[in-house]
Amino acid sequence: MYKKKHIVVLSGAGVSAESGLKTFRDSDGLRNGYDVHEVAIPGGWQKNPQLVLDFYNERRREVAAAKPNAAHTGLAALEKDFDVPIITQNIDDLHERGGSSQVVHLHGEIFKMRSVADVQTMYEIMGDIKIGDKAVDGTQLRPYIVWFEEEVPMMEKAVKIVQDADYFVVVGTSLQVYPAASLLQYAAPFLPKFIIDKKNSAVNNYSNLTLLEMPATEGVKALSKYLIP
């Protein structure tokens, strides 16, 4: 029986940016309007949960209004010829709406929430989370987002996916956020690797690497030509 080769993709904010979603790290990104220590660490939640809820409620509305771009649909189209698990640092659902069937979210999902006490049980959320909204355990609901200083529960699963890869593709990330950036280290030295990012990434120490310095939409199109001549 024919078994499709695995193209494992690590995607970052540069993919979503082309759908109009701002990032923390860009010069015109979210950090200009919000202090990361107020909205993306546990201490910020403890200090001012209303501010944190307002921030993520606004992000949820923005994601709901956004649409998948050619990078999302291009990666999904590769499933015709390959097995394409996507490990994403993004909290939006644009990979899923773009047609990808295997998506692992390292940093959580904007359309899910959990209680402050239970990290395992998730609830779907399309509207706003409000102060006083309680989980079944009686504690306040918070966004299902992995904040800075918190463990990344999907990291172990992501490592196993990378170790099973035939190709490893990094798209739309500058490889500055850990532990996600360390996934490149788990790709076997002989493995063909592609990095698609409009900014030059510091990846000179890796073998079998093709660097495509271009936006995600253009890079995924170029990647398809490499993989499917």
Side-chain angles (χ1 to χ4, degrees), residues 162 166-170 175 183-195 201-211:
V162 172
D166 295 300
Y167 302 90
F168 188 61
V169 177
V170 177
L175 295 172
L183 286 172
L184 192 56
Q185 301 171 14
Y186 292 94
F190 61 83
L191 210 68
K193 306 170 189 70
F194 298 84
I195 293 188
S201 299
V203 289
N204 297 329
N205 296 329
Y206 292 93
S207 59
N208 297 319
L209 178 66
T210 300
L211 182 59

PDB file of all heavy atoms in Angstrom, residues 162 166-170 175 183-195 201-211:
ATOM      1  N   VAL A 162       7.610  15.915  14.353  1.00  0.00           N
ATOM      2  CA  VAL A 162       8.809  16.326  13.618  1.00  0.00           C
ATOM      3  C   VAL A 162       9.736  15.137  13.387  1.00  0.00           C
ATOM      4  O   VAL A 162      10.331  14.994  12.311  1.00  0.00           O
ATOM      5  CB  VAL A 162       9.542  17.451  14.373  1.00  0.00           C
ATOM      6  CG1 VAL A 162      10.898  17.745  13.722  1.00  0.00           C
ATOM      7  CG2 VAL A 162       8.697  18.719  14.405  1.00  0.00           C
ATOM      8  N   ASP A 166       9.430  13.569   6.644  1.00  0.00           N
ATOM      9  CA  ASP A 166      10.267  13.361   5.461  1.00  0.00           C
ATOM     10  C   ASP A 166      10.777  14.703   4.930  1.00  0.00           C
ATOM     11  O   ASP A 166      11.828  14.769   4.286  1.00  0.00           O
ATOM     12  CB  ASP A 166       9.474  12.631   4.369  1.00  0.00           C
ATOM     13  CG  ASP A 166       9.094  11.216   4.786  1.00  0.00           C
ATOM     14  OD1 ASP A 166      10.000  10.412   5.051  1.00  0.00           O
ATOM     15  OD2 ASP A 166       7.875  10.924   4.864  1.00  0.00           O
ATOM     16  N   TYR A 167      10.010  15.767   5.181  1.00  0.00           N
ATOM     17  CA  TYR A 167      10.399  17.136   4.872  1.00  0.00           C
ATOM     18  C   TYR A 167       9.970  17.989   6.058  1.00  0.00           C
ATOM     19  O   TYR A 167       8.932  17.718   6.689  1.00  0.00           O
ATOM     20  CB  TYR A 167       9.697  17.680   3.626  1.00  0.00           C
ATOM     21  CG  TYR A 167       9.903  16.891   2.355  1.00  0.00           C
ATOM     22  CD1 TYR A 167       9.036  15.851   2.015  1.00  0.00           C
ATOM     23  CD2 TYR A 167      10.950  17.193   1.475  1.00  0.00           C
ATOM     24  CE1 TYR A 167       9.207  15.125   0.849  1.00  0.00           C
ATOM     25  CE2 TYR A 167      11.121  16.476   0.303  1.00  0.00           C
ATOM     26  CZ  TYR A 167      10.260  15.445  -0.001  1.00  0.00           C
ATOM     27  OH  TYR A 167      10.423  14.735  -1.166  1.00  0.00           O
ATOM     28  N   PHE A 168      10.756  19.013   6.351  1.00  0.00           N
ATOM     29  CA  PHE A 168      10.377  19.921   7.433  1.00  0.00           C
ATOM     30  C   PHE A 168      10.336  21.335   6.880  1.00  0.00           C
ATOM     31  O   PHE A 168      11.313  21.815   6.287  1.00  0.00           O
ATOM     32  CB  PHE A 168      11.364  19.833   8.597  1.00  0.00           C
ATOM     33  CG  PHE A 168      10.921  20.597   9.830  1.00  0.00           C
ATOM     34  CD1 PHE A 168       9.745  20.272  10.467  1.00  0.00           C
ATOM     35  CD2 PHE A 168      11.676  21.642  10.341  1.00  0.00           C
ATOM     36  CE1 PHE A 168       9.321  20.956  11.595  1.00  0.00           C
ATOM     37  CE2 PHE A 168      11.273  22.347  11.468  1.00  0.00           C
ATOM     38  CZ  PHE A 168      10.088  21.996  12.102  1.00  0.00           C
ATOM     39  N   VAL A 169       9.194  21.996   7.048  1.00  0.00           N
ATOM     40  CA  VAL A 169       8.975  23.335   6.492  1.00  0.00           C
ATOM     41  C   VAL A 169       8.658  24.303   7.623  1.00  0.00           C
ATOM     42  O   VAL A 169       7.768  24.053   8.442  1.00  0.00           O
ATOM     43  CB  VAL A 169       7.808  23.330   5.480  1.00  0.00           C
ATOM     44  CG1 VAL A 169       7.551  24.745   4.962  1.00  0.00           C
ATOM     45  CG2 VAL A 169       8.100  22.377   4.328  1.00  0.00           C
ATOM     46  N   VAL A 170       9.392  25.402   7.670  1.00  0.00           N
ATOM     47  CA  VAL A 170       9.115  26.483   8.615  1.00  0.00           C
ATOM     48  C   VAL A 170       8.613  27.668   7.800  1.00  0.00           C
ATOM     49  O   VAL A 170       9.274  28.100   6.855  1.00  0.00           O
ATOM     50  CB  VAL A 170      10.389  26.880   9.394  1.00  0.00           C
ATOM     51  CG1 VAL A 170      10.096  28.048  10.323  1.00  0.00           C
ATOM     52  CG2 VAL A 170      10.928  25.688  10.180  1.00  0.00           C
ATOM     53  N   LEU A 175      11.716  32.246  14.198  1.00  0.00           N
ATOM     54  CA  LEU A 175      12.359  31.264  15.089  1.00  0.00           C
ATOM     55  C   LEU A 175      12.982  31.937  16.313  1.00  0.00           C
ATOM     56  O   LEU A 175      14.083  31.605  16.735  1.00  0.00           O
ATOM     57  CB  LEU A 175      13.413  30.463  14.313  1.00  0.00           C
ATOM     58  CG  LEU A 175      12.861  29.569  13.180  1.00  0.00           C
ATOM     59  CD1 LEU A 175      14.006  28.979  12.369  1.00  0.00           C
ATOM     60  CD2 LEU A 175      11.983  28.456  13.753  1.00  0.00           C
ATOM     61  N   LEU A 183      12.077  23.158  17.696  1.00  0.00           N
ATOM     62  CA  LEU A 183      11.614  21.999  16.917  1.00  0.00           C
ATOM     63  C   LEU A 183      12.530  21.720  15.731  1.00  0.00           C
ATOM     64  O   LEU A 183      12.688  20.572  15.311  1.00  0.00           O
ATOM     65  CB  LEU A 183      10.179  22.225  16.434  1.00  0.00           C
ATOM     66  CG  LEU A 183       9.098  22.112  17.510  1.00  0.00           C
ATOM     67  CD1 LEU A 183       7.743  22.550  16.956  1.00  0.00           C
ATOM     68  CD2 LEU A 183       9.008  20.680  18.036  1.00  0.00           C
ATOM     69  N   LEU A 184      13.156  22.761  15.203  1.00  0.00           N
ATOM     70  CA  LEU A 184      14.073  22.570  14.085  1.00  0.00           C
ATOM     71  C   LEU A 184      15.228  21.654  14.470  1.00  0.00           C
ATOM     72  O   LEU A 184      15.773  20.928  13.634  1.00  0.00           O
ATOM     73  CB  LEU A 184      14.605  23.931  13.612  1.00  0.00           C
ATOM     74  CG  LEU A 184      15.366  23.979  12.285  1.00  0.00           C
ATOM     75  CD1 LEU A 184      14.530  23.414  11.140  1.00  0.00           C
ATOM     76  CD2 LEU A 184      15.788  25.405  11.967  1.00  0.00           C
ATOM     77  N   GLN A 185      15.574  21.648  15.738  1.00  0.00           N
ATOM     78  CA  GLN A 185      16.673  20.815  16.215  1.00  0.00           C
ATOM     79  C   GLN A 185      16.323  19.327  16.212  1.00  0.00           C
ATOM     80  O   GLN A 185      17.220  18.471  16.244  1.00  0.00           O
ATOM     81  CB  GLN A 185      17.083  21.243  17.626  1.00  0.00           C
ATOM     82  CG  GLN A 185      17.535  22.692  17.723  1.00  0.00           C
ATOM     83  CD  GLN A 185      17.728  23.143  19.160  1.00  0.00           C
ATOM     84  OE1 GLN A 185      17.776  22.339  20.079  1.00  0.00           O
ATOM     85  NE2 GLN A 185      17.846  24.455  19.350  1.00  0.00           N
ATOM     86  N   TYR A 186      15.031  19.030  16.186  1.00  0.00           N
ATOM     87  CA  TYR A 186      14.601  17.631  16.209  1.00  0.00           C
ATOM     88  C   TYR A 186      14.480  17.035  14.802  1.00  0.00           C
ATOM     89  O   TYR A 186      14.232  15.846  14.656  1.00  0.00           O
ATOM     90  CB  TYR A 186      13.270  17.497  16.946  1.00  0.00           C
ATOM     91  CG  TYR A 186      13.383  17.772  18.424  1.00  0.00           C
ATOM     92  CD1 TYR A 186      13.132  19.043  18.941  1.00  0.00           C
ATOM     93  CD2 TYR A 186      13.753  16.762  19.311  1.00  0.00           C
ATOM     94  CE1 TYR A 186      13.243  19.303  20.295  1.00  0.00           C
ATOM     95  CE2 TYR A 186      13.864  17.014  20.672  1.00  0.00           C
ATOM     96  CZ  TYR A 186      13.605  18.283  21.149  1.00  0.00           C
ATOM     97  OH  TYR A 186      13.734  18.530  22.499  1.00  0.00           O
ATOM     98  N   ALA A 187      14.642  17.856  13.788  1.00  0.00           N
ATOM     99  CA  ALA A 187      14.619  17.363  12.410  1.00  0.00           C
ATOM    100  C   ALA A 187      15.975  16.734  12.098  1.00  0.00           C
ATOM    101  O   ALA A 187      17.020  17.332  12.347  1.00  0.00           O
ATOM    102  CB  ALA A 187      14.338  18.520  11.444  1.00  0.00           C
ATOM    103  N   ALA A 188      15.957  15.528  11.575  1.00  0.00           N
ATOM    104  CA  ALA A 188      17.193  14.801  11.296  1.00  0.00           C
ATOM    105  C   ALA A 188      18.088  15.602  10.351  1.00  0.00           C
ATOM    106  O   ALA A 188      17.589  16.300   9.458  1.00  0.00           O
ATOM    107  CB  ALA A 188      16.870  13.445  10.688  1.00  0.00           C
ATOM    108  N   PRO A 189      19.421  15.533  10.527  1.00  0.00           N
ATOM    109  CA  PRO A 189      20.340  16.312   9.685  1.00  0.00           C
ATOM    110  C   PRO A 189      20.163  16.076   8.183  1.00  0.00           C
ATOM    111  O   PRO A 189      20.324  16.998   7.384  1.00  0.00           O
ATOM    112  CB  PRO A 189      21.720  15.849  10.156  1.00  0.00           C
ATOM    113  CG  PRO A 189      21.506  15.385  11.562  1.00  0.00           C
ATOM    114  CD  PRO A 189      20.129  14.783  11.573  1.00  0.00           C
ATOM    115  N   PHE A 190      19.824  14.836   7.809  1.00  0.00           N
ATOM    116  CA  PHE A 190      19.684  14.513   6.385  1.00  0.00           C
ATOM    117  C   PHE A 190      18.367  14.997   5.798  1.00  0.00           C
ATOM    118  O   PHE A 190      18.166  14.980   4.591  1.00  0.00           O
ATOM    119  CB  PHE A 190      19.789  12.989   6.179  1.00  0.00           C
ATOM    120  CG  PHE A 190      18.721  12.209   6.896  1.00  0.00           C
ATOM    121  CD1 PHE A 190      17.453  12.046   6.342  1.00  0.00           C
ATOM    122  CD2 PHE A 190      18.970  11.647   8.134  1.00  0.00           C
ATOM    123  CE1 PHE A 190      16.453  11.339   7.005  1.00  0.00           C
ATOM    124  CE2 PHE A 190      17.984  10.923   8.808  1.00  0.00           C
ATOM    125  CZ  PHE A 190      16.731  10.766   8.244  1.00  0.00           C
ATOM    126  N   LEU A 191      17.450  15.441   6.653  1.00  0.00           N
ATOM    127  CA  LEU A 191      16.098  15.800   6.218  1.00  0.00           C
ATOM    128  C   LEU A 191      16.107  17.081   5.387  1.00  0.00           C
ATOM    129  O   LEU A 191      16.725  18.070   5.769  1.00  0.00           O
ATOM    130  CB  LEU A 191      15.222  16.017   7.452  1.00  0.00           C
ATOM    131  CG  LEU A 191      13.734  15.716   7.329  1.00  0.00           C
ATOM    132  CD1 LEU A 191      13.523  14.223   7.145  1.00  0.00           C
ATOM    133  CD2 LEU A 191      13.014  16.189   8.589  1.00  0.00           C
ATOM    134  N   PRO A 192      15.436  17.104   4.226  1.00  0.00           N
ATOM    135  CA  PRO A 192      15.295  18.364   3.486  1.00  0.00           C
ATOM    136  C   PRO A 192      14.474  19.364   4.304  1.00  0.00           C
ATOM    137  O   PRO A 192      13.398  19.030   4.804  1.00  0.00           O
ATOM    138  CB  PRO A 192      14.553  17.954   2.213  1.00  0.00           C
ATOM    139  CG  PRO A 192      14.753  16.482   2.093  1.00  0.00           C
ATOM    140  CD  PRO A 192      14.829  15.971   3.495  1.00  0.00           C
ATOM    141  N   LYS A 193      14.994  20.570   4.455  1.00  0.00           N
ATOM    142  CA  LYS A 193      14.349  21.592   5.273  1.00  0.00           C
ATOM    143  C   LYS A 193      14.144  22.852   4.438  1.00  0.00           C
ATOM    144  O   LYS A 193      15.017  23.234   3.656  1.00  0.00           O
ATOM    145  CB  LYS A 193      15.205  21.919   6.498  1.00  0.00           C
ATOM    146  CG  LYS A 193      15.584  20.705   7.338  1.00  0.00           C
ATOM    147  CD  LYS A 193      16.616  21.063   8.395  1.00  0.00           C
ATOM    148  CE  LYS A 193      17.151  19.838   9.089  1.00  0.00           C
ATOM    149  NZ  LYS A 193      18.008  19.005   8.202  1.00  0.00           N
ATOM    150  N   PHE A 194      13.008  23.498   4.642  1.00  0.00           N
ATOM    151  CA  PHE A 194      12.697  24.736   3.941  1.00  0.00           C
ATOM    152  C   PHE A 194      12.277  25.771   4.983  1.00  0.00           C
ATOM    153  O   PHE A 194      11.456  25.476   5.865  1.00  0.00           O
ATOM    154  CB  PHE A 194      11.554  24.543   2.946  1.00  0.00           C
ATOM    155  CG  PHE A 194      11.850  23.550   1.852  1.00  0.00           C
ATOM    156  CD1 PHE A 194      11.657  22.195   2.052  1.00  0.00           C
ATOM    157  CD2 PHE A 194      12.319  23.975   0.614  1.00  0.00           C
ATOM    158  CE1 PHE A 194      11.923  21.265   1.043  1.00  0.00           C
ATOM    159  CE2 PHE A 194      12.591  23.065  -0.396  1.00  0.00           C
ATOM    160  CZ  PHE A 194      12.387  21.708  -0.178  1.00  0.00           C
ATOM    161  N   ILE A 195      12.826  26.963   4.879  1.00  0.00           N
ATOM    162  CA  ILE A 195      12.387  28.057   5.741  1.00  0.00           C
ATOM    163  C   ILE A 195      11.878  29.180   4.853  1.00  0.00           C
ATOM    164  O   ILE A 195      12.601  29.691   3.989  1.00  0.00           O
ATOM    165  CB  ILE A 195      13.517  28.559   6.650  1.00  0.00           C
ATOM    166  CG1 ILE A 195      13.890  27.459   7.651  1.00  0.00           C
ATOM    167  CG2 ILE A 195      13.103  29.831   7.373  1.00  0.00           C
ATOM    168  CD1 ILE A 195      14.861  27.889   8.717  1.00  0.00           C
ATOM    169  N   SER A 201      16.403  34.516   8.589  1.00  0.00           N
ATOM    170  CA  SER A 201      16.453  33.796   9.848  1.00  0.00           C
ATOM    171  C   SER A 201      17.884  33.315  10.118  1.00  0.00           C
ATOM    172  O   SER A 201      18.638  33.013   9.198  1.00  0.00           O
ATOM    173  CB  SER A 201      15.500  32.589   9.813  1.00  0.00           C
ATOM    174  OG  SER A 201      14.173  33.018   9.616  1.00  0.00           O
ATOM    175  N   ALA A 202      18.245  33.248  11.387  1.00  0.00           N
ATOM    176  CA  ALA A 202      19.587  32.804  11.784  1.00  0.00           C
ATOM    177  C   ALA A 202      19.620  31.283  11.828  1.00  0.00           C
ATOM    178  O   ALA A 202      19.459  30.664  12.874  1.00  0.00           O
ATOM    179  CB  ALA A 202      19.946  33.400  13.142  1.00  0.00           C
ATOM    180  N   VAL A 203      19.820  30.676  10.666  1.00  0.00           N
ATOM    181  CA  VAL A 203      19.741  29.211  10.575  1.00  0.00           C
ATOM    182  C   VAL A 203      20.937  28.628   9.821  1.00  0.00           C
ATOM    183  O   VAL A 203      20.831  27.591   9.185  1.00  0.00           O
ATOM    184  CB  VAL A 203      18.429  28.785   9.876  1.00  0.00           C
ATOM    185  CG1 VAL A 203      17.235  29.032  10.759  1.00  0.00           C
ATOM    186  CG2 VAL A 203      18.267  29.527   8.542  1.00  0.00           C
ATOM    187  N   ASN A 204      22.059  29.285   9.905  1.00  0.00           N
ATOM    188  CA  ASN A 204      23.224  28.859   9.126  1.00  0.00           C
ATOM    189  C   ASN A 204      23.797  27.521   9.555  1.00  0.00           C
ATOM    190  O   ASN A 204      24.549  26.896   8.809  1.00  0.00           O
ATOM    191  CB  ASN A 204      24.318  29.937   9.215  1.00  0.00           C
ATOM    192  CG  ASN A 204      23.875  31.258   8.596  1.00  0.00           C
ATOM    193  OD1 ASN A 204      23.100  31.255   7.658  1.00  0.00           O
ATOM    194  ND2 ASN A 204      24.349  32.367   9.131  1.00  0.00           N
ATOM    195  N   ASN A 205      23.477  27.062  10.734  1.00  0.00           N
ATOM    196  CA  ASN A 205      24.079  25.839  11.259  1.00  0.00           C
ATOM    197  C   ASN A 205      23.369  24.564  10.832  1.00  0.00           C
ATOM    198  O   ASN A 205      23.760  23.480  11.246  1.00  0.00           O
ATOM    199  CB  ASN A 205      24.139  25.895  12.792  1.00  0.00           C
ATOM    200  CG  ASN A 205      25.030  27.011  13.297  1.00  0.00           C
ATOM    201  OD1 ASN A 205      26.006  27.363  12.644  1.00  0.00           O
ATOM    202  ND2 ASN A 205      24.698  27.566  14.450  1.00  0.00           N
ATOM    203  N   TYR A 206      22.322  24.683  10.024  1.00  0.00           N
ATOM    204  CA  TYR A 206      21.538  23.504   9.655  1.00  0.00           C
ATOM    205  C   TYR A 206      21.874  23.054   8.244  1.00  0.00           C
ATOM    206  O   TYR A 206      22.032  23.863   7.327  1.00  0.00           O
ATOM    207  CB  TYR A 206      20.035  23.801   9.774  1.00  0.00           C
ATOM    208  CG  TYR A 206      19.610  24.009  11.202  1.00  0.00           C
ATOM    209  CD1 TYR A 206      19.576  25.287  11.756  1.00  0.00           C
ATOM    210  CD2 TYR A 206      19.263  22.934  12.012  1.00  0.00           C
ATOM    211  CE1 TYR A 206      19.198  25.491  13.081  1.00  0.00           C
ATOM    212  CE2 TYR A 206      18.882  23.121  13.332  1.00  0.00           C
ATOM    213  CZ  TYR A 206      18.854  24.395  13.860  1.00  0.00           C
ATOM    214  OH  TYR A 206      18.491  24.591  15.165  1.00  0.00           O
ATOM    215  N   SER A 207      21.957  21.737   8.066  1.00  0.00           N
ATOM    216  CA  SER A 207      22.265  21.162   6.759  1.00  0.00           C
ATOM    217  C   SER A 207      20.982  20.920   5.966  1.00  0.00           C
ATOM    218  O   SER A 207      19.888  20.876   6.528  1.00  0.00           O
ATOM    219  CB  SER A 207      23.026  19.848   6.933  1.00  0.00           C
ATOM    220  OG  SER A 207      22.261  18.929   7.696  1.00  0.00           O
ATOM    221  N   ASN A 208      21.160  20.733   4.643  1.00  0.00           N
ATOM    222  CA  ASN A 208      20.027  20.439   3.751  1.00  0.00           C
ATOM    223  C   ASN A 208      18.916  21.467   3.883  1.00  0.00           C
ATOM    224  O   ASN A 208      17.737  21.117   3.951  1.00  0.00           O
ATOM    225  CB  ASN A 208      19.487  19.029   4.011  1.00  0.00           C
ATOM    226  CG  ASN A 208      20.508  17.961   3.714  1.00  0.00           C
ATOM    227  OD1 ASN A 208      21.233  18.040   2.729  1.00  0.00           O
ATOM    228  ND2 ASN A 208      20.588  16.948   4.561  1.00  0.00           N
ATOM    229  N   LEU A 209      19.299  22.736   3.945  1.00  0.00           N
ATOM    230  CA  LEU A 209      18.345  23.801   4.192  1.00  0.00           C
ATOM    231  C   LEU A 209      18.206  24.705   2.967  1.00  0.00           C
ATOM    232  O   LEU A 209      19.199  25.152   2.396  1.00  0.00           O
ATOM    233  CB  LEU A 209      18.807  24.642   5.386  1.00  0.00           C
ATOM    234  CG  LEU A 209      17.937  25.851   5.752  1.00  0.00           C
ATOM    235  CD1 LEU A 209      16.572  25.397   6.248  1.00  0.00           C
ATOM    236  CD2 LEU A 209      18.635  26.690   6.818  1.00  0.00           C
ATOM    237  N   THR A 210      16.945  24.959   2.582  1.00  0.00           N
ATOM    238  CA  THR A 210      16.632  25.913   1.519  1.00  0.00           C
ATOM    239  C   THR A 210      15.913  27.091   2.152  1.00  0.00           C
ATOM    240  O   THR A 210      14.878  26.923   2.803  1.00  0.00           O
ATOM    241  CB  THR A 210      15.736  25.278   0.439  1.00  0.00           C
ATOM    242  OG1 THR A 210      16.405  24.165  -0.141  1.00  0.00           O
ATOM    243  CG2 THR A 210      15.412  26.292  -0.649  1.00  0.00           C
ATOM    244  N   LEU A 211      16.477  28.284   1.999  1.00  0.00           N
ATOM    245  CA  LEU A 211      15.896  29.479   2.586  1.00  0.00           C
ATOM    246  C   LEU A 211      15.174  30.284   1.509  1.00  0.00           C
ATOM    247  O   LEU A 211      15.772  30.679   0.506  1.00  0.00           O
ATOM    248  CB  LEU A 211      16.989  30.336   3.229  1.00  0.00           C
ATOM    249  CG  LEU A 211      16.546  31.622   3.937  1.00  0.00           C
ATOM    250  CD1 LEU A 211      15.564  31.309   5.058  1.00  0.00           C
ATOM    251  CD2 LEU A 211      17.760  32.371   4.473  1.00  0.00           C
TER     252      LEU A 211
END
